[in-house]
Amino acid sequence: MPQTYYLGYRSLFVTLTAWAAIVMAAVACAFGAIQQAALASWLPALDSAVQSEPMPLVSGMMLSYLPWVTGTGLILAVALLVAAVGLLMRLEWARRAFIGLVVVAIAANLASLWLQHEFVQSLVDATLRDTPLPMGAVGVFGGFATAAKVLSGVVTLGACGLLAWVIRRLMSPKVRQEFVA
C-alpha cells in the first residue's frame, strides 16, 4: 500500500484569499504592461503637458514621476502574484511577503486619500473656472463634489479595513500552523 502524508487542515480562507490575489495580480500585471507600453508612446507629450499648466503638489509630482509610479505598480503586481502562488502552496515566506504587500497596499490607499481630494478639487476648480454656471448650479455641483470626496474616502477606508482583517486572519495561530517554513 502506498504511503500517504497528511498535510493537516487547509483553511478555505487562505485558499480563497490566494486565488483572489492571483486573479487580481494577474490582471494588474497585464494592465501594468499595457500602461508601460502606452506611457512610452505618451512620454514626449506628457513632459510638455506637465510643464505647461501648474498642478497641485501631489498630482504634479505623480505626473512628473509617472514612469516610476507605473513601474513600481507593475513590480508590486508581480511580487503579489509570486506571493499569492506561494500562499496557495502554504509557504511561510509567502505568507509573510503577502502580509507585507498588503501593508504596502493599505499605506498606498491611505496616501491616495490626499491624491483623490486634490484630483476632485482640481476638477471642480477647472469646471467652475471654464464653465459659466448659475449660482444655484454651482451649489449643486459643489454638493456632488463633496459627496464624491466623502464616498471615495469611505470606500478607501472600508477597503483598508478589509485588508487589515485579512492580515489579522493570516497572522492567527490557526492559519499559521498550516504553513511550512
Side-chain angles (χ1 to χ4, degrees):
M1 176 175 264
Q3 182 166 359
T4 58
Y5 295 101
Y6 178 69
L7 297 175
Y9 174 73
R10 293 188 147 232
S11 70
L12 182 62
F13 169 76
V14 175
T15 303
L16 291 178
T17 301
W19 276 112
I22 288 169
V23 170
M24 286 189 289
V27 169
C29 287
F31 281 134
I34 292 168
Q35 278 182 332
Q36 289 295 333
L39 190 61
S41 67
W42 296 342
L43 206 51
L46 186 64
D47 286 338
S48 62
V50 167
Q51 294 171 357
S52 68
E53 179 143 351
M55 298 189 76
L57 177 66
V58 178
S59 301
M61 285 177 50
M62 192 178 103
L63 279 177
S64 298
Y65 296 104
L66 195 57
W68 291 99
V69 172
T70 57
T72 302
L74 182 59
I75 290 169
L76 287 173
V78 170
L80 181 63
L81 184 60
V82 170
V85 169
L87 191 68
L88 188 62
M89 297 172 61
R90 304 305 198 270
L91 300 172
E92 178 63 20
W93 65 264
R95 184 185 70 85
R96 291 174 189 240
F98 190 85
I99 290 170
L101 288 168
V102 172
V103 168
V104 169
I106 290 172
N109 277 329
L110 292 176
S112 76
L113 282 173
W114 182 258
L115 186 64
Q116 292 170 19
H117 169 73
E118 262 190 8
F119 178 75
V120 171
Q121 193 60 43
S122 67
L123 184 67
V124 168
D125 291 344
T127 302
L128 292 178
R129 182 180 62 234
D130 297 339
T131 307
L133 292 174
M135 286 309 281
V138 169
V140 170
F141 188 72
F144 280 129
T146 301
K149 288 180 192 177
V150 169
L151 185 60
S152 70
V154 167
V155 168
T156 300
L157 293 175
C160 289
L162 178 66
L163 292 175
W165 176 77
V166 168
I167 290 173
R168 189 171 149 251
R169 286 284 307 264
L170 286 174
M171 293 178 72
S172 70
K174 184 178 180 181
V175 170
R176 269 193 296 179
Q177 74 185 8
E178 65 182 278
F179 284 83
V180 178

